[in-house]
Amino acid sequence: MDIFLTFLYAFLVGGAICLVGQILILKTNITPSRILVIFVAVGVVLGAAQVFDVIRSNVGAGITVPIVGFGGVLSEGVINAVREDGILGVFTGALTAAAAGIAAAIVFAFIVGLISKSKVKT
């Protein structure tokens, strides 16, 4: 039963984040790219306030899979790098923490670009 609740919480929290994004797209004039930036910024703020880890321990992938999780990773990387390297960690921590995800996105985008055929948007 415990695994069921884990999946349920992840679904509900991830779904709520997506619902908020969809409502912002439909009811406001905010562009989708700005909404993504807002979500990343929310993740950074939650991570900086040490709230992101508490939420992640309770709902798991529900908070880490949406774009909010990327902001949490960035803030966590900066915090850890500042502890280790001092003020220089502000500049290196985010990139170090997110390097694997960014590299994977680039590699997979390249592979999809090789496989797919581009079309002119009409």
Side-chain angles (χ1 to χ4, degrees), residues 37-114:
V37 170
I38 290 169
F39 281 173
V40 171
V42 167
V44 168
V45 170
L46 289 174
Q50 302 295 319
V51 177
F52 188 81
D53 288 335
V54 174
I55 297 171
R56 181 175 45 197
S57 67
N58 291 321
V59 298
I63 192 84
T64 57
V65 171
I67 195 71
V68 177
F70 184 68
V73 167
L74 293 177
S75 65
E76 184 178 311
V78 169
I79 290 169
N80 290 337
V82 167
R83 286 184 187 143
E84 292 175 10
D85 303 328
I87 195 68
L88 185 61
V90 171
F91 304 106
T92 62
L95 292 176
T96 303
I102 293 170
I106 291 170
V107 168
F108 291 131
F110 179 73
I111 291 170
V112 169
L114 291 174

Side-chain angles (χ1 to χ4, degrees), residues 6-67:
T6 302
F7 286 132
L8 180 65
Y9 290 151
F11 175 77
L12 292 176
V13 171
I17 292 169
C18 295
L19 177 68
V20 169
Q22 190 64 42
I23 290 171
L24 288 173
I25 288 171
L26 294 175
K27 299 293 182 183
T28 67
N29 289 331
I30 303 173
T31 61
S33 58
R34 289 185 179 170
I35 293 170
L36 289 175
V37 170
I38 290 169
F39 281 173
V40 171
V42 167
V44 168
V45 170
L46 289 174
Q50 302 295 319
V51 177
F52 188 81
D53 288 335
V54 174
I55 297 171
R56 181 175 45 197
S57 67
N58 291 321
V59 298
I63 192 84
T64 57
V65 171
I67 195 71

